[in-house]
Amino acid sequence: MIRKEEFNMPDRNMFLAQIDARKGELFELLQKLIRFDSQNLGSSGREAGIAAFIRDELTAMGLSADLYSPDSIDGLPEHVDYWPGHNLADRPNVTGTLSGTAHTRRLMLAAHSDTTPIGDPRNWTVDPFGGILKDGKIWGRGACDDKYGIAAALFLLRLLHDEGIELPYDLLFTAYCDEEFGGGNGALAASVKYPCDDILNLDCKNFEIWACAVGGGVIRAKIRSNEPLDSAGKMLDGLTLVRAEFDAFRERRRDELRKLPYYRDTIIPDTTVRFMELRAGDNGSDLNRAFADVTYYTALTEPEINREFDAMAVRLNEALALLGMCFDGFEKVTRFFHHAATADENPALDLLCKVSLETSGRKLTPCGSCLSDLPLFILYGSPRAFSFGIGRDFSVYGGAHQADEFIECDALVEFTKIIGAFLLSY
């Protein structure tokens, strides 16, 4: 049995060489994970099958594995950041623990097991649940959001087990449910049940480190005509007024985030408002009603941002009245995401930057995130929680939430090596 404290740099290089030698197993593991349909449908989800598979993988390594519903944790449904209505009984988390030679420190790796829906299958050129490997890429729903994180963690646990390496700390891995559609209940449950000294959330993009989490959420702005209509076309004029209000709202949010160091050099300030859905009428019914679903980013608190929405509602009512319409209110589509930053002094984050440079020559620069579950890990799991990953942008072909989603095999291997070096050096 090899204890981690006996490792020196050449030994670490030997361990990393094993990642190269066995990378086919890493790819195969991700392919298997993609073949599970774990779509999050908002008020329900299909994470049960993949969670059971992960539990079986953990127990096969001799690790203790806890399969649990977030709702099974005492008091969680009453928690201030719990988001109800997600039918979590059959949407479990799974947490495995690799006990170390000492129990004075606990490190958790985390990645979410749910995915967005596949959308219209006709928009895919590959089977969204095929997990095929071609052109140096692995394709399918969840490939880059966030099953690559699960694959890397499971693969490294298997490698540590097979090499007989004992770590001088307890290493936990959690595959958490209910991340998409603003859920957050899986991350909240893992944080409450398994608080740790450090948490590394493997849900990030482009080899970034997220040291700060933006706040915000998705909100629905509803309007209606004061009179019945035989065509929803008139409601488009009202939605134009809604868009104009959110265009001004975007400018305020952009100026707000540009003042924050973690966001100054990122694309986040320029993407603070995104329209997710615009609808007038409902399949021939309710032709005098319309709404806009809007994702927004902010560093303000929820009461502060609500005061802006209240003022927006007053202005919209006045403008819509000239069209014979009224503002029908705001409705939260997701929970409110808190703005939160990891601790100023964060040895684990510094260590990850160091081993990345040593392992692959890649310099990592901490920055701010888009909406994610990182705030929950920071607030309730560890004040030093942060995120690192290789997910791909929403706006690129095959990126997160897109048809033909994929992850590059070379990037997956490099990412796994960096995490492996981090685990040996932690």
Side-chain angles (χ1 to χ4, degrees):
M1 198 67 81
I2 303 172
R3 297 182 185 276
K4 178 263 174 184
E5 56 262 38
E6 298 171 5
F7 264 61
N8 54 34
M9 183 60 72
D11 293 318
R12 189 174 80 180
N13 289 340
M14 289 173 60
F15 181 81
L16 299 180
Q18 282 298 301
I19 296 175
D20 271 325
R22 298 174 59 174
K23 63 185 180 182
E25 297 174 37
L26 173 63
F27 302 156
E28 183 179 357
L29 186 53
L30 178 54
Q31 291 176 279
K32 288 179 179 179
L33 292 166
I34 291 170
R35 288 166 189 152
F36 284 94
D37 175 358
S38 57
Q39 294 176 92
N40 185 330
L41 305 175
S43 60
S44 63
R46 300 172 180 170
E47 297 97 323
I50 193 171
F53 171 80
I54 294 166
R55 176 202 58 199
D56 293 345
E57 288 288 303
L58 293 169
T59 55
M61 302 174 206
L63 276 64
S64 63
D66 181 14
L67 192 72
Y68 57 99
S69 165
D71 283 349
S72 68
I73 299 174
D74 289 344
L76 199 77
E78 290 74 48
H79 195 285
V80 64
D81 278 317
Y82 180 85
W83 187 245
H86 284 217
N87 295 304
L88 296 167
D90 295 318
R91 306 177 62 186
N93 282 3
V94 57
T95 298
T97 302
L98 177 63
S99 294
T101 58
H103 306 290
T104 55
R105 290 183 300 155
R106 298 212 306 181
L107 166 68
M108 180 190 290
L109 302 179
H112 66 86
S113 59
D114 63 324
T115 71
T116 54
I118 63 169
D120 188 340
R122 293 172 295 184
N123 293 332
W124 291 71
T125 64
V126 296
D127 180 354
F129 301 118
I132 66 169
L133 194 164
K134 68 171 184 175
D135 302 327
K137 305 175 181 69
I138 298 173
W139 304 72
R141 178 56 86 222
C144 73
D145 186 24
D146 181 31
K147 292 181 178 180
Y148 76 87
I150 299 175
L154 285 177
F155 175 80
L156 287 168
L157 285 167
R158 181 188 296 169
L159 196 55
L160 289 168
H161 171 268
D162 291 352
E163 295 295 310
I165 297 171
E166 289 185 322
L167 302 171
Y169 59 91
D170 291 337
L171 175 61
L172 288 72
F173 168 61
T174 296
Y176 58 98
C177 68
D178 194 35
E179 190 271 348
E180 304 292 357
F181 292 104
N185 293 314
L188 179 62
S191 298
V192 170
K193 190 169 186 178
Y194 292 102
C196 291
D197 297 284
D198 293 286
I199 296 175
L200 175 51
N201 186 34
L202 306 176
D203 182 23
C204 192
K205 62 183 179 68
N206 300 329
F207 286 98
E208 293 176 350
I209 289 181
W210 287 346
C212 182
V214 77
V218 182
I219 196 162
R220 175 169 294 180
K222 301 182 291 184
I223 63 174
R224 61 181 171 85
S225 168
N226 296 326
E227 302 293 337
L229 298 176
D230 63 357
S231 170
K234 182 179 179 182
M235 301 307 298
L236 297 178
D237 297 331
L239 286 176
T240 299
L241 295 176
V242 172
R243 177 176 178 175
E245 274 291 341
F246 273 105
D247 285 344
F249 181 83
R250 176 192 289 113
E251 295 303 307
R252 296 194 294 275
R253 303 285 74 75
R254 183 181 66 182
D255 294 343
E256 170 194 328
L257 292 183
R258 280 181 174 171
K259 295 175 182 177
L260 303 178
Y262 280 126
Y263 288 98
R264 192 170 295 137
D265 298 320
T266 73
I267 65 169
I268 299 298
D270 293 324
T271 60
T272 52
V273 166
R274 290 179 290 133
F275 287 87
M276 310 308 290
E277 184 173 359
L278 298 168
R279 177 177 290 188
D282 184 9
N283 293 314
S285 301
D286 298 328
L287 299 178
N288 67 330
R289 296 179 183 272
F291 69 81
D293 282 355
V294 183
T295 294
Y296 68 96
Y297 299 158
T298 185
L300 299 181
T301 65
E302 189 169 15
E304 289 171 331
I305 204 69
N306 283 343
R307 286 194 285 273
E308 288 211 28
F309 287 136
D310 290 343
M312 188 187 296
V314 172
R315 292 192 297 270
L316 279 170
N317 249 328
E318 293 174 351
L320 287 165
L322 301 177
L323 300 178
M325 300 178 191
C326 66
F327 185 64
D328 212 18
F330 287 110
E331 176 184 328
K332 287 171 65 175
V333 177
T334 69
R335 63 183 170 88
F336 180 77
F337 289 70
H338 302 286
H339 171 64
T342 194
D344 290 337
E345 293 188 7
N346 194 327
L349 189 155
D350 294 340
L351 176 63
L352 184 67
C353 293
K354 178 177 180 290
V355 299
S356 175
L357 202 57
E358 293 172 350
T359 301
S360 67
R362 183 180 293 274
K363 182 178 179 180
L364 303 179
T365 303
C367 62
S369 76
C370 58
L371 295 180
S372 76
D373 281 353
L374 179 57
L376 297 171
F377 286 119
I378 292 174
L379 293 172
Y380 306 113
S382 167
R384 299 193 309 208
F386 62 99
S387 297
F388 173 56
I390 54 169
R392 304 179 64 253
D393 286 322
F394 302 118
S395 59
V396 300
Y397 169 68
H401 304 186
Q402 299 289 342
D404 288 351
E405 184 179 345
F406 66 83
I407 201 80
E408 296 93 344
C409 293
D410 288 347
L412 178 57
V413 172
E414 181 184 353
F415 171 73
T416 305
K417 285 182 175 181
I418 294 171
I419 300 300
F422 172 76
L423 296 179
L424 294 181
S425 304
Y426 177 78

